[in-house]
Amino acid sequence: MTLLSVLDLAPVPQGSTPGDALRNTLDLAQHAESWGYNRYWVAEHHNMVGIASAATSVVIGYIAGGTRTIRVGAGGIMLPNHSPLVIAEQFGTLASLYPGRIDLGLGRAPGTDQRTLLALRRDPGSSDKFPQDVLELQALLGPVQPGQFLQAVPGADTNVPLWILGSSLFGAQLAAMLGLPYAFASHFAPDALMRALQVYRDNFKPSEQLTAPHAMIGVNVIAADTDEEARFLFTTPQQSFTNLFRGTRGKLQPPIADIESYWSPSEKVQASNMLGCSVVGSPQTVREGLARLIEKTGADELMVASAIYDHGARLRSYEILAEVWKELN
């Protein structure tokens, strides 16, 4: 059975504060837990006024502390921004506080722009060491070896499950080589999805963590009671992706009646391509769209992003999705 999970960037809508966004995140996580979602992930982004999850491990602790059973984790931590020891300590602490519930997804992108990299004190070449950093982190979270000097406390022997994230073939190859679960960012970069899944599955080597490949794919789902309402709500992420090309990132914008008046023809092509892995509509439309996506990809898990301006509408979208999912399974 394909699993269903939530990706939440803690979006900050226009007229709201990061505090509002984080409280909405916890509220959505609590609802997602009651609706039967498998895991709830937040992601590391920096210097973005519309995303409140920059201090990712802190947000994870907030969510885990306000829920009881749902798995909570990072989708992901941008490992080249950090020392593996610091991440091992942070997630070892989380795993010690919330045993059996913490995931650690790892990416090698910066999660920000080039100028902010300087503020992060990041070495521009640090992403080249990503495979070695993953192995170092894995060792720090594993059992202490005889004569081992450097230990993560907490962290050692917590064996926090690691995931490799990616939007290209690099992550697929690394996840396969290390025998780790793989999450593909098709919710904003769908072009290489099918090829990456094939590379991952064809080259997977079993490990202590995982005996068979487990592939998760990102998908944007905007569900509402009618197709028309869902398409209206979808204009919010359509505006956000258009703004990426304009270099005018900001807070989440309210939906608009006519998206064609907002973007140019070239912007429409670019934004629509990035949003190609999206299912938007009424319960029946969403059911049919998800069934096609699962049949096409054979995904073991869907990680659903829903950048909806109104929090009540976002809750309703995830509620509809949970109802549809029960019917599909």
Side-chain angles (χ1 to χ4, degrees):
M1 182 180 74
T2 308
L3 300 173
L4 187 65
S5 296
V6 176
L7 175 63
D8 180 13
L9 302 185
V12 185
Q14 287 183 358
S16 298
T17 68
D20 297 328
L22 292 169
R23 284 183 285 273
N24 286 342
T25 283
L26 178 58
D27 185 52
L28 176 57
Q30 291 168 336
H31 280 86
E33 181 176 72
S34 70
W35 292 328
Y37 284 85
N38 184 50
R39 66 184 91 239
Y40 196 103
W41 281 6
V42 292
E44 176 185 351
H45 292 79
H46 298 283
N47 194 29
M48 296 186 183
V49 298
I51 297 176
S53 54
T56 313
S57 59
V58 178
V59 179
I60 291 170
Y62 174 59
I63 298 168
T67 53
R68 296 180 295 110
T69 58
I70 194 169
R71 297 193 66 88
V72 186
I77 289 292
M78 302 298 107
L79 188 55
N81 293 345
H82 310 279
S83 154
L85 175 61
V86 170
I87 297 303
E89 291 170 341
Q90 290 178 0
F91 279 79
T93 299
L94 289 167
S96 298
L97 291 170
Y98 311 104
R101 294 182 56 204
I102 302 299
D103 299 323
L104 176 49
L106 302 168
R108 66 177 182 133
T112 189
D113 57 79
Q114 294 298 314
R115 293 177 64 183
T116 308
L117 291 182
L118 300 177
L120 289 169
R121 306 295 194 267
R122 173 176 158 164
D123 177 356
S126 57
S127 61
D128 296 336
K129 300 183 292 183
F130 180 65
Q132 292 88 345
D133 285 347
V134 172
L135 290 172
E136 181 179 341
L137 176 58
Q138 189 176 47
L140 287 166
L141 292 170
V144 176
Q145 301 301 310
Q148 179 177 331
F149 171 75
L150 183 65
Q151 297 183 32
V153 184
D157 209 24
T158 55
N159 299 295
V160 176
L162 302 183
W163 291 67
I164 299 297
L165 315 183
S167 57
S168 68
L169 301 186
F170 179 88
Q173 294 167 337
L174 181 62
M177 180 181 70
L178 299 181
L180 295 176
Y182 177 55
F184 188 85
S186 38
H187 59 294
F188 69 83
D191 288 349
L193 171 60
M194 298 307 298
R195 178 61 179 149
L197 292 177
Q198 181 181 358
V199 167
Y200 172 62
R201 290 164 176 155
D202 288 350
N203 296 280
F204 182 84
K205 298 179 180 179
S207 67
E208 290 186 15
Q209 180 177 327
L210 198 63
T211 58
H214 184 98
M216 174 195 288
I217 64 171
V219 55
N220 302 291
V221 177
I222 308 292
D225 293 316
T226 66
D227 287 338
E228 182 180 21
E229 182 185 359
R231 287 193 295 267
F232 175 66
L233 296 174
F234 190 49
T235 61
T236 290
Q238 287 174 322
Q239 291 175 81
S240 296
F241 278 81
T242 301
N243 292 341
L244 287 177
F245 305 115
R246 297 177 178 176
T248 55
R249 293 173 178 166
K251 293 185 176 182
L252 209 61
Q253 295 176 242
I256 55 178
D258 181 17
I259 187 63
E260 300 301 332
S261 66
Y262 189 82
W263 55 20
S264 69
S266 62
E267 290 170 341
K268 178 180 180 178
V269 170
Q270 291 175 300
S272 298
N273 181 62
M274 291 186 72
L275 287 165
C277 193
S278 300
V279 179
V280 180
S282 64
Q284 180 178 348
T285 301
V286 169
R287 184 185 308 111
E288 294 169 353
L290 291 179
R292 287 193 298 270
L293 182 63
I294 294 168
E295 182 179 7
K296 176 183 177 181
T297 64
D300 300 293
E301 189 164 355
L302 299 186
M303 176 65 73
V304 176
S306 298
I308 297 174
Y309 177 80
D310 178 74
H311 182 60
R314 187 163 69 135
L315 288 176
R316 178 60 181 149
S317 179
Y318 278 107
E319 182 181 24
I320 291 172
L321 177 56
E323 294 167 353
V324 166
W325 200 251
K326 291 177 182 177
E327 297 173 7
L328 280 174
N329 288 283

